[in-house]
Amino acid sequence: MNSNDIKAMQEAIKLSASSLQDKTIPTGGPFGAVIYKNGEFIAGGYNHVLANHDPSAHGEVQAIRSACQKLQTWDLSGCVLYTSCEPCPMCLMTSKWANIDKIYFAATRKDAAAIGFKDDDLYELLKPGTYATAMPECRNEAVEVMQKWFKKFADNGKY
């Protein structure tokens, strides 16, 4: 860890404190994140779950959305995510979908659990067979749409 990494993490932590500012009701949980590329600040965000009535509006997702808009791409290869707390499974997977190269966090999911957040419990749901139920009766229809999409976009180099 170098001094630039520490400064970036301190920015993420400062954003996490935005949930404390002069409000009787917070925007969301105390979680913030920033994204850097080639040592340059790209975007930041903090939790807006309550303010936006959106369970996906976590600090990391907010930062990823902003970075994608700023860079005009969904692909954040070469970027580094600094987040005030270990990412929940949704934020971790969103980061992976966005091809973020490195993820650094300060507090752990156990620290979040200690104040009532269920990130740690959500990781338990990722065990095989516990997160969803397959409906094989509808699989062929869904696969057909996927194959049509692939032929229309991906197979022609549009994606």
Side-chain angles (χ1 to χ4, degrees):
M1 216 41 71
N2 65 42
S3 63
N4 290 332
D5 291 322
I6 291 170
K7 286 178 185 174
M9 183 61 76
Q10 288 170 335
E11 286 181 63
I13 294 168
K14 185 176 179 182
L15 279 172
S16 75
S18 297
S19 65
L20 301 170
Q21 295 176 358
D22 289 344
K23 297 175 184 123
T24 55
I25 299 175
T27 56
F31 308 107
V34 294
I35 295 175
Y36 275 73
K37 185 171 186 173
N38 300 323
E40 239 180 87
F41 175 84
I42 301 298
Y46 61 95
N47 192 297
H48 278 75
V49 168
L50 300 175
N52 293 2
H53 308 288
D54 178 358
S56 71
H58 291 197
E60 298 91 337
V61 173
Q62 299 287 87
I64 290 167
R65 288 173 179 160
S66 293
C68 288
Q69 289 300 308
K70 182 174 181 178
L71 298 175
Q72 290 294 287
T73 182
W74 63 270
D75 185 355
L76 298 179
S77 294
C79 290
V80 179
L81 172 68
Y82 298 88
T83 180
S84 64
C85 188
E86 184 175 0
C88 74
M90 175 187 69
C91 293
L92 177 61
M93 293 305 124
T94 302
S95 299
K96 293 302 181 183
W97 271 111
N99 296 317
I100 290 175
D101 289 353
K102 288 184 179 180
I103 301 169
Y104 294 106
F105 61 89
T108 69
R109 64 186 190 225
K110 301 283 186 195
D111 297 322
I115 62 165
F117 286 88
K118 59 183 178 180
D119 303 48
D120 202 34
D121 293 340
L122 294 175
Y123 272 96
E124 289 297 314
L125 292 176
L126 296 178
K127 292 180 180 176
T130 60
Y131 59 88
T133 303
M135 291 183 62
E137 308 86 2
C138 300
R139 180 177 173 265
N140 289 341
E141 287 176 76
V143 169
E144 184 180 325
V145 172
M146 292 166 65
Q147 290 169 340
K148 286 178 182 177
W149 179 91
F150 180 81
K151 285 181 182 174
K152 183 173 182 174
F153 298 110
D155 203 26
N156 296 320
K158 294 179 182 176
Y159 173 70

